[in-house]
Amino acid sequence: NAGVTQTPKFQVLKTGQSMTLQCAQDMNHNSMYWYRQDPGMGLRLIYYSASEGTTDKGEVPNGYNVSRLNKREFSLRLESAAPSQTSVYFCASSERGGPGLEPQHFGDGTRLSIL
Amino acid sequence: GENVEQHPSTLSVQEGDSAVIKCTYSDSASNYFPWYKQELGKRPQLIIDIRSNVGEKKDQRIAVTLNKTAKHFSLHITETQPEDSAVYFCAALTGANSKLTFGKGITLSVRP
C-alpha cells in the first residue's frame, strides 16, 4: 500500500542544471498536486492537475513545468535550477478536485538543494 | 484569492492540558477546511477535516469547530501528549478553483 511515491528523496544540483522530480500514486486518484515547503512559509502550490490531461498553475509556478504523464504519474521539472528553488517538494493526490474535495494524501517529499 | 492565517505561530502546553489553534480565512466561498500534522522530517498527514455545512467534528481527542460568520475555524486537542508535538497546518478550499490554500503552520510543543 504505497500511496504517493516520490523520487528522488534527496538531490543536490548546481545552478543552471535541470532536473525532473517524479511522483506516482496507486490510489486511482484523479487530482495531483506539487507543493514546495520553505521554513516559515507553509505549503505553497506550484502546479496541479485536476484530472488526467489537464494542468494548471498554482501560487508559485515560475521556473517550473509539469507533465501529467497518465493518471498515476505527475512530474515536476526545473529547466534551469536557481538557488531560490532550494526547498522541500511534496507531491499530493486526491480522489477529485472541486466542491466535495476529498483529502489530499502527501508523499514523503524530495529535499532539493541548489548550489 | 484565498488568504489563510494561523494564530499563534508557536504554542507550548503542559502534558495533559488542552491546546487550541485558530485559523482565519478570507474567502466566504471556501467550503472545506482540513488540518494537517507534520512531524519533523515527515510528510503532512491529515488529522481531521470539516465541511462548510457542519459546525463541529470530533475524532477522539481532536475536534475542529467552524464559524462561517466570523470566517475562522479552530483545532482543539484535549489531554495533550508528547507525541502531539509537531507542526500543524490549516487549509481552506475554495470550490471555484479546487485549490487548497495553507496557513504557515503552528509549532506545538507538549512539555512532559
Side-chain angles (χ1 to χ4, degrees):
Chain A
N1 190 11
V4 179
T5 302
Q6 292 183 235
T7 55
K9 295 189 185 305
F10 303 93
Q11 186 69 49
V12 179
L13 293 177
K14 294 181 179 179
T15 297
Q17 288 186 314
S18 61
M19 167 151 198
T20 300
L21 308 185
Q22 306 288 352
C23 176
Q25 51 90 10
D26 62 2
M27 296 174 283
N28 201 35
H29 284 169
N30 289 305
S31 301
M32 298 185 73
Y33 312 83
W34 276 105
Y35 293 91
R36 61 177 289 174
Q37 185 175 34
D38 303 294
M41 297 297 292
L43 290 154
R44 292 184 292 170
L45 183 66
I46 305 171
Y47 270 94
Y48 71 106
S49 171
S51 60
E52 186 178 358
T54 68
T55 60
D56 285 287
K57 295 179 180 178
E59 182 184 354
V60 288
N62 291 344
Y64 305 95
N65 285 302
V66 290
S67 295
R68 184 73 183 268
L69 304 171
N70 47 54
K71 191 172 184 179
R72 289 187 64 249
E73 299 172 287
F74 189 38
S75 63
L76 178 72
R77 182 162 178 84
L78 287 70
E79 290 291 351
S80 179
S84 61
Q85 294 177 305
T86 293
S87 189
V88 180
Y89 291 85
F90 286 99
C91 177
S93 71
S94 64
E95 185 172 339
R96 60 185 182 277
L101 180 77
E102 297 300 317
Q104 292 189 12
H105 300 263
F106 285 81
D108 286 333
T110 295
R111 283 152 182 78
L112 183 61
S113 293
I114 299 159
L115 307 177
Chain B
E2 175 65 277
N3 182 43
V4 177
E5 295 188 353
Q6 295 189 236
H7 311 279
S9 59
T10 61
L11 180 63
S12 180
V13 299
Q14 191 70 38
E15 182 177 359
D17 288 349
S18 295
V20 181
I21 303 170
K22 180 178 175 179
C23 277
T24 59
Y25 61 99
S26 61
D27 191 337
S28 58
S30 291
N31 57 9
Y32 173 70
F33 307 92
W35 282 92
Y36 285 84
K37 175 184 180 182
Q38 186 178 31
E39 298 175 358
L40 190 62
K42 301 286 184 65
R43 69 177 77 181
Q45 291 195 299
L46 180 75
I47 54 172
I48 197 166
D49 57 10
I50 192 167
R51 301 181 191 278
S52 59
N53 58 348
V54 175
E56 183 176 359
K57 183 177 179 180
K58 285 185 178 180
D59 183 3
Q60 299 182 341
R61 295 188 297 111
I62 294 172
V64 56
T65 57
L66 172 64
N67 183 327
K68 289 189 293 183
T69 303
K71 290 190 284 187
H72 68 72
F73 56 110
S74 299
L75 178 69
H76 305 255
I77 306 174
T78 59
E79 300 172 17
T80 54
Q81 301 167 4
E83 51 264 39
D84 294 329
S85 296
V87 178
Y88 290 82
F89 292 97
C90 62
L93 173 79
T94 303
N97 60 19
S98 76
K99 292 182 287 189
L100 275 179
T101 301
F102 284 83
K104 293 183 178 180
I106 290 173
T107 301
L108 174 65
S109 300
V110 179
R111 304 186 303 273

